[in-house]
Short mmCIF file of all heavy atoms in Angstrom, two decimals:
data_model
loop_
_atom_site.label_atom_id
_atom_site.label_comp_id
_atom_site.label_asym_id
_atom_site.label_seq_id
_atom_site.Cartn_x
_atom_site.Cartn_y
_atom_site.Cartn_z
N GLN A 760 -21.75 -2.73 20.60
CA GLN A 760 -20.66 -2.78 21.58
C GLN A 760 -21.01 -1.90 22.78
O GLN A 760 -21.78 -0.96 22.66
CB GLN A 760 -19.39 -2.22 20.96
CG GLN A 760 -19.03 -2.90 19.68
CD GLN A 760 -17.54 -2.90 19.47
OE1 GLN A 760 -16.80 -2.61 20.39
NE2 GLN A 760 -17.11 -3.23 18.28
N LYS A 761 -20.40 -2.20 23.91
CA LYS A 761 -20.56 -1.31 25.06
C LYS A 761 -19.58 -0.16 24.87
O LYS A 761 -18.38 -0.29 25.07
CB LYS A 761 -20.26 -2.06 26.36
CG LYS A 761 -21.43 -2.88 26.85
CD LYS A 761 -21.27 -3.31 28.30
CE LYS A 761 -21.62 -2.19 29.27
NZ LYS A 761 -21.52 -2.64 30.68
N LEU A 762 -20.10 1.00 24.43
CA LEU A 762 -19.20 2.11 24.10
C LEU A 762 -18.50 2.69 25.32
O LEU A 762 -17.39 3.18 25.23
CB LEU A 762 -19.97 3.22 23.39
CG LEU A 762 -20.44 2.89 21.98
CD1 LEU A 762 -21.18 4.06 21.38
CD2 LEU A 762 -19.27 2.52 21.09
N GLY A 763 -19.15 2.61 26.47
CA GLY A 763 -18.57 3.20 27.68
C GLY A 763 -17.23 2.59 28.04
O GLY A 763 -16.32 3.30 28.47
N VAL A 764 -17.10 1.27 27.86
CA VAL A 764 -15.84 0.63 28.26
C VAL A 764 -14.90 0.46 27.08
O VAL A 764 -13.83 -0.12 27.21
CB VAL A 764 -16.09 -0.78 28.87
CG1 VAL A 764 -16.66 -0.62 30.26
CG2 VAL A 764 -17.02 -1.58 27.99
N PHE A 765 -15.31 1.00 25.92
CA PHE A 765 -14.47 0.81 24.73
C PHE A 765 -13.19 1.62 24.86
O PHE A 765 -13.22 2.79 25.20
CB PHE A 765 -15.25 1.26 23.48
CG PHE A 765 -14.62 0.80 22.22
CD1 PHE A 765 -14.97 -0.43 21.68
CD2 PHE A 765 -13.64 1.55 21.58
CE1 PHE A 765 -14.38 -0.88 20.52
CE2 PHE A 765 -13.04 1.10 20.43
CZ PHE A 765 -13.42 -0.13 19.91
N ASN A 766 -12.06 0.99 24.59
CA ASN A 766 -10.79 1.67 24.79
C ASN A 766 -10.03 1.81 23.47
O ASN A 766 -9.80 0.83 22.79
CB ASN A 766 -9.95 0.89 25.81
CG ASN A 766 -8.82 1.72 26.35
OD1 ASN A 766 -8.29 2.59 25.66
ND2 ASN A 766 -8.44 1.46 27.58
N PHE A 767 -9.65 3.06 23.14
CA PHE A 767 -8.91 3.30 21.89
C PHE A 767 -7.59 2.52 21.84
O PHE A 767 -7.15 2.07 20.80
CB PHE A 767 -8.56 4.79 21.75
CG PHE A 767 -9.66 5.60 21.14
CD1 PHE A 767 -10.21 6.68 21.82
CD2 PHE A 767 -10.13 5.32 19.88
CE1 PHE A 767 -11.21 7.45 21.25
CE2 PHE A 767 -11.13 6.08 19.30
CZ PHE A 767 -11.68 7.14 20.00
N ALA A 768 -6.95 2.41 23.01
CA ALA A 768 -5.59 1.84 23.04
C ALA A 768 -5.57 0.40 22.54
O ALA A 768 -4.59 -0.05 21.96
CB ALA A 768 -5.02 1.94 24.44
N TYR A 769 -6.67 -0.33 22.79
CA TYR A 769 -6.67 -1.75 22.39
C TYR A 769 -7.40 -1.94 21.07
O TYR A 769 -7.49 -3.04 20.55
CB TYR A 769 -7.33 -2.62 23.47
CG TYR A 769 -6.81 -2.32 24.84
CD1 TYR A 769 -7.68 -1.98 25.88
CD2 TYR A 769 -5.43 -2.33 25.09
CE1 TYR A 769 -7.18 -1.65 27.14
CE2 TYR A 769 -4.94 -2.02 26.35
CZ TYR A 769 -5.82 -1.67 27.38
OH TYR A 769 -5.32 -1.35 28.60
N ALA A 770 -7.94 -0.86 20.54
CA ALA A 770 -8.76 -1.00 19.32
C ALA A 770 -7.93 -1.47 18.15
O ALA A 770 -8.40 -2.20 17.28
CB ALA A 770 -9.40 0.33 18.99
N ALA A 771 -6.66 -1.05 18.12
CA ALA A 771 -5.81 -1.40 16.98
C ALA A 771 -5.57 -2.91 16.90
O ALA A 771 -5.15 -3.42 15.87
CB ALA A 771 -4.49 -0.66 17.09
N ASP A 772 -5.84 -3.63 18.01
CA ASP A 772 -5.57 -5.06 18.01
C ASP A 772 -6.69 -5.87 17.35
O ASP A 772 -6.56 -7.08 17.20
CB ASP A 772 -5.42 -5.58 19.47
CG ASP A 772 -4.45 -4.71 20.24
OD1 ASP A 772 -3.68 -4.00 19.58
OD2 ASP A 772 -4.48 -4.73 21.48
N ILE A 773 -7.78 -5.21 16.99
CA ILE A 773 -8.89 -5.97 16.39
C ILE A 773 -8.40 -6.62 15.10
O ILE A 773 -7.99 -5.93 14.17
CB ILE A 773 -10.08 -5.05 16.06
CG1 ILE A 773 -10.57 -4.36 17.34
CG2 ILE A 773 -11.20 -5.82 15.41
CD1 ILE A 773 -11.67 -3.36 17.12
#
Side-chain angles (χ1 to χ4, degrees):
Q760 306 210 13
K761 279 196 79 177
L762 290 180
V764 286
F765 194 89
N766 196 329
F767 275 122
Y769 312 125
D772 311 341
I773 301 176

